[in-house]
Amino acid sequence: DATTCELRAHRAYQPSVIEHTQRVVGGRLQRFSEAVSGLEGTFGGAPRLALCQDTVYLGGRDGIVTAYAACGLNILVRARLSDASQTLGLRVVHFAPASQRLYCGVLSTLHVLSTPALKGVAKLRGGPRTPVFGSVCAAAESSDGRLVFSADVGGPSVHIWATGSWQHLSRLELPADGGIVTHFATTNADRLLCAATDSGRFLAFSLARSTPRCVEEGGG
């Protein structure tokens, strides 16, 4: 509860992905099966939890995003975003109020989902003409819903995409010693894109021109 800070509801995670492993114990081969749960990433990284008015979205280490009813935490719908049989956890979950879209980062792909059904809209990832080199570490949408910003660990760098065509518009390379971006923020008029890194650096990019440029950089 936002006013009293009292716990109103809690629910254990219901795993649906089982990880099978084997090891030799005392000269004998033993097989183990363990349900995958928990969150991917480390403390201080991008959020794996997103909230809208009546729904909570959680990205799990099992590669599944789950939509819960905010009142009672009942499961509404789930979607698995990993394309392989191995466990691929979600490192980024971002809900965009303007478009009601959900953005989820799995390895080097940023999945765009419609809400509340969690149907796939687009996959933003690297290619021959799209220089995305590492796992997605942050994501955000502009206040008018026209642009999407993502960051990856390869470089590190920031990418700008157009939501009308889902085309890659530009790549902003960051200083190698400045850390990777973990949080984005935009001004109301979308004239500035602000970014914070895991090493305590702050950067502000002007979006007034077709080619964004860094106008402020500092550390805390």
Side-chain angles (χ1 to χ4, degrees):
D1 182 79
T3 304
T4 63
C5 294
E6 294 180 353
L7 180 64
R8 300 183 61 181
H10 67 92
R11 183 177 296 273
Y13 187 77
Q14 298 181 21
S16 60
V17 177
I18 307 299
E19 197 169 46
H20 302 284
T21 59
Q22 60 184 27
R23 62 185 179 185
V24 177
V25 179
R28 302 180 65 178
L29 181 64
Q30 294 185 0
R31 292 180 172 84
F32 301 87
S33 297
E34 183 179 1
V36 180
S37 60
L39 301 180
E40 192 68 78
T42 57
F43 177 78
R48 276 80 69 185
L49 184 73
L51 178 68
C52 68
Q53 185 173 4
D54 53 4
T55 309
V56 179
Y57 300 99
L58 175 67
R61 197 169 61 85
D62 52 5
I64 293 177
V65 58
T66 305
Y68 297 89
C71 181
L73 297 181
N74 295 318
I75 294 179
L76 301 176
V77 64
R78 311 185 86 174
R80 182 165 189 176
L81 303 182
S82 56
D83 297 328
S85 57
Q86 67 181 115
T87 302
L88 302 173
L90 275 71
R91 292 189 59 179
V92 178
V93 176
H94 171 74
F95 177 76
S99 64
Q100 299 290 296
R101 288 186 287 255
L102 189 71
Y103 295 88
C104 301
V106 181
L107 292 183
S108 59
T109 300
L110 184 62
H111 295 256
V112 186
L113 307 176
S114 63
T115 61
L118 298 184
K119 298 296 184 181
V121 175
K123 293 181 181 180
L124 310 182
R125 52 191 172 190
R129 298 183 179 180
T130 308
V132 179
F133 302 120
S135 297
V136 177
C137 52
E141 189 181 85
S142 61
S143 60
D144 59 7
R146 294 186 304 107
L147 300 175
V148 176
F149 310 101
S150 67
D152 65 20
V153 300
S157 56
V158 173
H159 303 270
I160 303 179
W161 314 75
T163 60
S165 60
W166 300 114
Q167 290 185 345
H168 185 267
L169 298 180
S170 59
R171 176 179 183 264
L172 310 175
E173 189 166 350
L174 307 181
D177 59 351
I180 62 174
V181 175
T182 55
H183 296 86
F184 282 120
T186 59
T187 60
N188 290 335
D190 291 327
R191 294 181 179 177
L192 282 179
L193 169 66
C194 302
T197 73
D198 61 351
S199 62
R201 302 295 294 176
F202 169 83
L203 304 101
F205 299 92
S206 172
L207 303 177
R209 299 180 180 179
S210 57
T211 302
R213 61 187 181 90
C214 183
V215 295
E216 188 73 33
E217 182 178 358

